[in-house]
Amino acid sequence: MIVAIAEGLERPRCLAASYNGSVNTSLFELFKIGIGPSSSHTVGPMRAALRFVRELEAAGLVTKTAHVTVDLYGSLALTGLGHGTDRAVLLGLMGEAPDAVDPESVDAKIVEVRAQSWMLLGGRAGVAFHEADDLRFWRGQMYPEAGVVSHPNGMRFTALDDAGVKLAEEVFYSIGGGFIVSEAERVAAADGTAKSPRVVPYPFRSAEELLRVAGEHGLTIAELVLANECALLADAKVKIVRPEAEISQGLKPPINGSLMSGLKPGPISETEASRTEASRTEASPQLVEDRVRGSVMMLWRAMEACARRGMEVEGTLPGGLNVRRRAPRMARRLEASGPSATAATSVKQDPLAALDWVTMWAMAVNEENAAGGRVVTAPTNGAAGIIPAIAHYYLRFLCDGLSEAEKEAGLLRYFLTAAAIGILYKENASISGAEVGCQGEVGVACSMAAGGLVAAQNGTNDQVEHAAEIAMEHNLGMTCDPIGGLVQIPCIERNGMGAVKAINASRIAMHETEGHKLSLDQVIKTMYETGMDMQSRYKETSLAGLALNVIEC
């Protein structure tokens, strides 16, 4: 909520994510359509700026605002220029949402604001904004309130009238994966006073509880997550942005999946999500399920489109490192080896050909992300290549002889199961590179993909948990040290390596029929504690590691 300083109102204590016996994160919040290059430094700040403007509108302050300032702290200040935080903030203040803005229009919008030192706040009210003075990077201060530990991705928005009187102020934090919380929400979550409005039929707080609840009800993890997502969609009090999928009234796919038809491309943007609230609660349970399944497939289509662009677009990535896009050349070389290279029979020609394809798909997505293109957080932008690369791997190398309906059912199991694993990390640890290093981004994506791949192949729930545990176990301690603050080196190749590791973890788990020593819960706890012990200069600040020891060129 806005702090209406001019009118002397107290800051209210807002609702925030807490765990009161429910699940507070949806699949469609882990997997979000947005733009690159960073979920925490681009998508999050854009959403925070947009939310600030909307709260100004709700308080009747937009037309009274003559001037806006923005202060960035911690990792946002240190690597924000390389991550596009400056551009994201401007876009959000202009009323743009990351899932709806046209990436091709961004440059022109930014150039206009910078040339005129002026913008349309929320697209409707002209305000002064001189970027050099009004967008401030506090590189020597980690948190918005000096000495008060909060989160290293903090930002403060302030609105002033034409006399320079402060009208409103709000502090937000970008906590990873495009998620944001206000200061009031952060405090409420920390002291346990917030309550979740979300109620699902199968809540879980841990991997142990997830396995137990699924076992008690005879469900796979994918079926459990599907039921929870249906409950969230049917609940008019819960507003979640989902990709739009129109499914004809006559389509009644069985629970084990069938080919989705009648899907309409195009996401529901944050500005349009509320328009569907009334109609969705009137739908039959089967239609609600169809809509959830259709929205999952729309996410996959967006991932496919991103990979395809990354495989086709040549050139050099922006930012000054002069990093050449390599995925197009890799794609041409692999495709030139013949049709069999995309099928399971390719192992007769090259036993490791599948890994070349997986690496290429992952790098294609992350090169497109680095260029500021349309991408799906999975669960972050910096790790966005792993989940789609493994989905491609499943379809190309593990589906020989399956029908289209069976392939799609496998994809649905993959994404639903990966989401359950991602929720565990999001709600019990962190998916923020600025908070726990790259183990919270590539490590989490690798864990999600490994467990999801087991589910796609109809592995057991125990094997899913084992694969996810193995994948994270061997990503523990991974630092986040992007050269030049850009999501390029080592991020792009790291996605390829993470995707290959996910395959290996899934294969180890599926060969096991007995119990294992370490649990996923233990590894998640270890990952978070390791991240807390990690020095901040190794957590998305570009002050150490490769960022310090490699000369920018």
Side-chain angles (χ1 to χ4, degrees):
M1 294 291 290
I2 282 290
V3 183
I5 298 171
E7 299 178 14
L9 299 181
E10 286 188 358
R11 178 194 298 266
R13 299 186 68 80
C14 303
L15 292 178
S18 62
Y19 306 124
N20 305 283
S22 184
V23 173
N24 296 287
T25 307
S26 164
L27 175 152
F28 300 103
E29 293 168 322
L30 282 175
F31 300 123
K32 296 183 293 291
I33 297 175
I35 61 171
S38 172
S39 48
S40 60
H41 289 55
T42 312
V43 176
M46 191 187 305
R47 295 184 68 212
L50 178 60
R51 178 171 160 185
F52 180 70
V53 170
R54 287 179 174 168
E55 293 184 352
L56 285 176
E57 291 174 340
L61 296 174
V62 167
T63 56
K64 298 177 183 179
T65 300
H67 184 200
V68 175
T69 63
V70 183
D71 298 282
L72 304 175
Y73 303 91
S75 178
L76 291 179
L78 289 163
T79 64
L81 291 177
H83 284 62
T85 307
D86 50 342
R87 294 156 61 90
V89 166
L90 297 183
L91 289 168
L93 291 175
M94 288 187 281
E96 297 288 355
D99 58 329
V101 66
D102 179 5
E104 298 298 324
S105 72
V106 168
D107 286 344
K109 294 177 187 293
I110 300 300
V111 167
E112 183 177 5
V113 171
R114 289 172 173 169
Q116 298 180 358
S117 297
W118 180 92
M119 70 169 66
L120 281 175
L121 188 65
R124 54 185 290 239
V127 298
F129 194 88
H130 187 261
E131 188 174 354
D133 300 321
D134 298 333
L135 182 57
R136 300 181 284 247
F137 294 77
W138 296 92
R139 295 180 176 87
Q141 185 171 330
M142 185 59 68
Y143 308 110
E145 298 297 330
V148 179
V149 177
S150 51
H151 190 283
N153 280 341
M155 60 201 113
R156 185 191 310 275
F157 295 85
T158 307
L160 306 101
D161 66 13
D162 54 8
V165 176
K166 189 181 293 185
L167 296 173
E169 181 178 88
E170 182 65 288
V171 171
F172 291 100
Y173 301 92
S174 181
I175 60 173
F179 291 88
I180 59 170
V181 294
S182 68
E183 171 66 13
E185 291 167 344
R186 182 192 70 82
V187 171
D191 64 20
T193 59
K195 296 185 183 299
S196 171
R198 298 182 176 184
V199 178
V200 294
Y202 305 112
F204 57 90
R205 281 289 315 279
S206 64
E208 184 278 330
E209 188 173 15
L210 174 63
L211 292 174
R212 177 176 56 76
V213 172
E216 288 175 352
H217 295 276
L219 299 172
T220 66
I221 292 174
E223 289 168 340
L224 181 150
V225 174
L226 178 60
N228 285 352
E229 290 297 332
C230 288
L232 293 175
L233 176 59
D235 188 343
K237 298 187 299 295
V238 178
K239 294 178 173 56
I240 296 171
V241 178
R242 298 172 178 84
E244 176 66 13
E246 286 190 354
I247 304 177
S248 64
Q249 294 289 336
L251 182 62
K252 303 289 184 182
I255 193 166
N256 63 346
S258 69
L259 183 62
M260 289 289 146
S261 61
L263 296 181
K264 184 181 74 174
I268 300 178
S269 71
E270 293 193 29
T271 58
E272 297 171 338
S274 61
R275 300 175 188 172
T276 65
E277 299 303 314
S279 62
R280 73 181 183 176
T281 57
E282 300 170 359
S284 68
Q286 182 61 58
L287 186 57
V288 168
E289 181 181 313
D290 293 348
R291 291 183 64 179
V292 170
R293 295 151 66 90
S295 292
V296 173
M297 296 311 297
M298 288 307 297
L299 286 171
W300 166 235
R301 289 188 178 184
M303 291 179 178
E304 279 188 303
C306 180
R308 185 165 56 252
R309 288 192 304 272
M311 293 165 62
E312 295 172 351
V313 179
E314 306 270 3
T316 301
L317 295 172
L321 283 182
N322 297 316
V323 174
R324 174 176 49 84
R325 286 183 181 244
R326 288 178 289 169
R329 186 173 65 175
M330 294 173 66
R332 288 195 300 271
R333 181 179 61 80
L334 289 167
E335 289 166 350
S337 63
S340 62
T342 65
T345 55
S346 64
V347 296
K348 297 178 180 178
Q349 302 172 6
D350 179 358
L352 299 181
L355 301 189
D356 292 338
W357 280 92
V358 167
T359 302
M360 182 273 294
W361 286 317
M363 291 180 62
V365 169
N366 279 84
E367 287 177 351
E368 185 64 18
N369 174 66
R374 177 72 68 218
V375 69
V376 180
T377 61
T380 69
N381 281 28
I386 295 172
I387 292 288
I390 298 305
H392 276 293
Y393 168 77
Y394 168 72
L395 290 176
R396 296 291 186 94
F397 292 95
L398 301 180
C399 287
D400 191 33
L402 297 184
S403 68
E404 291 302 309
E406 290 170 326
K407 292 178 183 177
E408 186 171 279
L411 276 181
L412 287 166
R413 291 193 298 272
Y414 173 72
F415 284 111
L416 290 163
T417 304
I421 296 165
I423 288 168
L424 291 172
Y425 284 101
K426 169 68 176 60
E427 298 194 356
N428 294 297
S430 175
I431 57 172
S432 169
E435 191 172 21
V436 295
C438 198
Q439 57 175 356
E441 296 201 37
V442 164
V444 171
C446 179
S447 184
M448 292 167 63
L453 183 57
V454 170
Q457 299 174 82
N458 286 308
T460 67
N461 289 346
D462 286 338
Q463 289 173 327
V464 167
E465 185 265 354
H466 192 189
E469 178 276 316
I470 293 170
M472 175 53 76
E473 181 182 342
H474 302 289
N475 278 292
L476 290 173
M478 186 185 294
T479 62
C480 181
D481 51 353
I483 296 176
L486 298 165
V487 193
Q488 298 178 15
I489 302 174
C491 318
I492 294 170
E493 287 182 357
R494 188 168 284 177
N495 273 257
M497 300 297 290
V500 170
K501 191 178 291 186
I503 295 172
N504 197 19
S506 71
R507 292 176 67 86
I508 293 173
M510 292 192 74
H511 281 301
E512 292 290 335
T513 57
E514 299 179 0
H516 50 285
K517 294 293 184 181
L518 295 180
S519 71
L520 178 56
D521 289 327
Q522 290 173 318
V523 171
I524 290 174
K525 182 175 185 289
T526 302
M527 184 275 278
Y528 186 67
E529 292 175 345
T530 301
M532 293 298 98
D533 290 340
M534 193 182 293
Q535 294 182 14
S536 61
R537 62 198 185 116
Y538 290 102
K539 295 189 286 188
E540 208 163 2
T541 60
S542 292
L543 295 176
L546 288 175
L548 181 65
N549 293 312
V550 176
I551 298 174
E552 297 180 31
C553 56

